[in-house]
Amino acid sequence: MTGTVTGAPRQLLRLEGLLVLVAASVTYGRLETGWWPFALLFFAPDLTLLGYGAGRAAGAALYNAGHWYGLPAACLAWGVLGQAPEILAAGLIWAAHIGFDRALGYGLKYRAGFGVTHLGAIGTGDRAAPSQSQARASQVSRAR
């Protein structure tokens, strides 16, 4: 599929997500805000999935708005520059959530459907495009 990252770049993007999750979580822990808000708000960005009730295009647009690093980065800047620790904490939780999703392979969505992301098809992992040797082995086993 055009626009889908594969191979080593895909693995680097997933690793990057894991690093964002860890960095945001460790930084949040240093705020001494308490972990209950983190636990309460960690999956809040997934409420954007409700946009799929209005169709695939609206769902993808809303999901992507909630899972793009730009908005939590704005919260981080506002929280630091405006000395607003609550906004900083929200930005860290939001960034941690996006990092978690990316580490699991949940990327930004295309209008084709929820399972079609920039990191590949959800639920297929790297199996979406089997190597030629894997395809041949599969054909041989089916022939038997």
Side-chain angles (χ1 to χ4, degrees):
M1 166 190 204
T2 303
T4 299
V5 180
T6 60
R10 180 175 186 266
Q11 296 307 315
L12 286 173
L13 287 172
R14 291 183 68 178
L15 178 60
E16 178 181 73
L18 179 63
L19 293 174
V20 169
L21 168 64
V22 170
S25 299
V26 168
T27 304
Y28 179 86
R30 297 190 58 124
L31 293 179
E32 299 179 6
T33 306
W35 287 99
W36 71 266
F38 190 94
L40 183 67
L41 297 173
F42 186 77
F43 289 106
D46 284 339
L47 293 173
T48 60
L49 292 169
L50 296 174
Y52 279 96
R56 291 186 304 197
L62 189 59
Y63 180 91
N64 289 344
H67 288 82
W68 170 58
Y69 283 122
L71 296 175
C75 288
L76 296 175
W78 179 10
V80 169
L81 298 175
Q83 298 180 349
E86 297 83 8
I87 302 297
L88 176 61
L92 289 168
I93 296 166
W94 198 350
H97 172 84
I98 296 170
F100 176 74
D101 276 5
R102 299 278 170 82
L104 294 177
Y106 293 94
L108 297 173
K109 310 299 181 211
Y110 287 99
R111 290 180 179 196
F114 177 80
V116 184
T117 80
H118 83 286
L119 294 177
I122 294 175
T124 60
D126 288 327
R127 293 172 284 155
S131 69
Q132 289 180 350
S133 61
Q134 290 171 326
R136 270 184 262 146
S138 177
Q139 289 172 347
V140 169
S141 68
R142 279 184 279 182
R144 292 180 184 175

